[in-house]
């Protein structure tokens, strides 16, 4: 079996070695410009535009990550080629920590206390309890489900929104697009901290425009750990500026790295991180990918195959 790893990242060699250790019968090569030896499977992230022209015999592409738009938007991707994504592999607990940290920072008014410390002010601000902080998770998939359960276990009221899924978790109030157009509005109105955890698809692109974000109650917060394209940046900034929204924690952006003149960099209500909310942990992810390749090669059922028609 021959595998090509396409990963323009300084961790490519470590990934190759970890994959090769899991797939002892396979030859694993790192793709470089000009490489066109035929491989059976490709593993990687954001393959170059002509990648699939040079690899016409591939049987499947395995994404090093939960998101797959970096492959789906490749112009040479053949229509029928199966794409398989990483599921969890340790990313869920990172998402939980990221969201928990931001919610507690706002709930405990830590930014305000930091400003008071800088100004030499000793003043106790009014406190609030968890039941005053209903959270809303948009996208109740592999990662969103873990975030929802963690907040529910912590005692927060938890709302969740999914496209078609009707199976909820105990203690999670589920809103589903399939149950009617009013479900989205009701979900947003019931939510004080919106956490975006759905993939970027044709249906979710620009989903959080001014009209949608205004449905959140006054003083609400937004966490985006999915993809930048789900939020209309101008709308978010306007609502932060006019006081409708109190804060945003953003890990993902339409353009990454975010260009320096962008207002997010200096906005006092914005917390930014450079797409690190859940970094694919190499060892468990490589193990999972190797397992999926073995299952695929043996014609067994493989989980995490992307439905190309819905885009995730
Ligand atoms: P997943 O298991 O595929 O779950 C996706 C969820 O989104 C599902 O609940 C799905 O609904 C819902 N959804 C899809 N389209 C929707 C729509 N139009 N309206 C409402 N809900 C919709 O994906 P995952 O593994 O949890 O990952 C979620 C996303 O997180 C990834 O796609 C990626 O973009 C992002 N991510 C970011 C980082 C980071 O470091 N920032 C790391 C990993 C992943 P159904 O249940 O009805 O199918």
């Amino acid at each position: 079996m021959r595998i090509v790893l396409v990963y323009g990242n300084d961790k490519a060699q470590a990934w190759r070695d970890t994959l090769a250790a899991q797939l002892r019968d396979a030859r694993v090569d790192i793709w470089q410009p000009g490489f066109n030896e035929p491989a059976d499977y490709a593993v990687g992230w954001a393959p170059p535009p002509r990648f699939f022209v040079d690899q016409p015999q591939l049987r499947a592409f395995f994404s090093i990550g939960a998101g797959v738009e970096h492959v789906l938007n490749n112009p040479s991707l053949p229509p029928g080629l199966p794409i398989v994504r990483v599921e969890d592999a340790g990313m869920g607990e990172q998402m939980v920590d990221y969201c928990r940290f931001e919610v507690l920072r706002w709930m405990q008014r830590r930014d305000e206390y930091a400003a008071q410390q800088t100004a030499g002010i000793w003043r106790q601000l009014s406190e609030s309890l968890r039941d005053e902080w209903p959270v809303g998770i948009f996208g109740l998939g592999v990662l969103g489900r873990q975030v929802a359960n963690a907040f529910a276990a912590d005692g927060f009221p938890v709302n969740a929104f999914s496209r078609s899924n009707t199976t909820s978790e105990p203690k999670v109030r589920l809103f589903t697009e399939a149950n009617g157009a009013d479900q989205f509005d009701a979900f947003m109105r019931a939510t004080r901290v919106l956490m975006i955890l759905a993939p970027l698809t044709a249906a979710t692109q620009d989903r959080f425009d001014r009209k949608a974000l205004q449905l959140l109650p006054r003083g609400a917060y937004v966490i985006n750990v999915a993809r930048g394209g789900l939020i209309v940046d101008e709308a978010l900034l306007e609502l932060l500026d006019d006081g409708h929204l109190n804060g945003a924690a953003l890990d993902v952006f339409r353009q990454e790295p975010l260009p320096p003149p962008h207002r997010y960099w200096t906005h006092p209500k914005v917390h930014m991180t450079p797409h690190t909310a859940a970094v694919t942990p190499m060892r468990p992810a490589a193990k999972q990918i190797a397992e999926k390749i073995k299952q695929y090669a043996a014609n067994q059922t493989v989980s995490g195959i992307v439905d190309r028609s819905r885009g995730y």
Side-chain angles (χ1 to χ4, degrees), residues 45 65-69 85-88 91 94-95 138-145 161-166 176-177 184 196-205 207 224-227 230 251-252 256 275-280 310-312:
W45 186 267
V68 287
E69 75 289 346
R85 68 191 195 89
V86 168
E87 298 162 287
D88 190 8
M91 286 186 278
Q94 296 178 62
M95 284 299 190
F138 181 84
L140 195 62
V142 172
L143 304 178
R145 201 169 284 276
F161 187 89
S162 83
R163 191 182 63 92
S164 59
N165 200 335
T166 48
T176 298
E177 194 156 274
F184 178 74
I196 304 175
L197 269 149
L200 180 63
T201 65
T204 61
Q205 171 90 34
R207 185 73 159 95
N224 188 8
V225 284
R227 288 292 183 265
L230 275 83
D251 182 57
V252 285
E256 295 181 3
H275 202 141
T276 49
V279 177
T280 308
R310 59 178 199 182
Y312 70 100

Side-chain angles (χ1 to χ4, degrees), residues 169-211:
E169 301 292 323
K171 297 197 197 161
V172 174
R173 184 176 169 204
L174 181 67
F175 299 81
T176 298
E177 194 156 274
N179 284 346
D182 58 337
Q183 292 270 297
F184 178 74
D185 292 16
F187 162 77
M188 294 291 277
R189 288 201 170 97
T191 289
R192 184 165 180 185
V193 183
L194 171 70
M195 302 173 191
I196 304 175
L197 269 149
L200 180 63
T201 65
T204 61
Q205 171 90 34
D206 298 331
R207 185 73 159 95
F208 295 95
D209 56 9
R210 190 180 170 97
K211 187 165 165 253

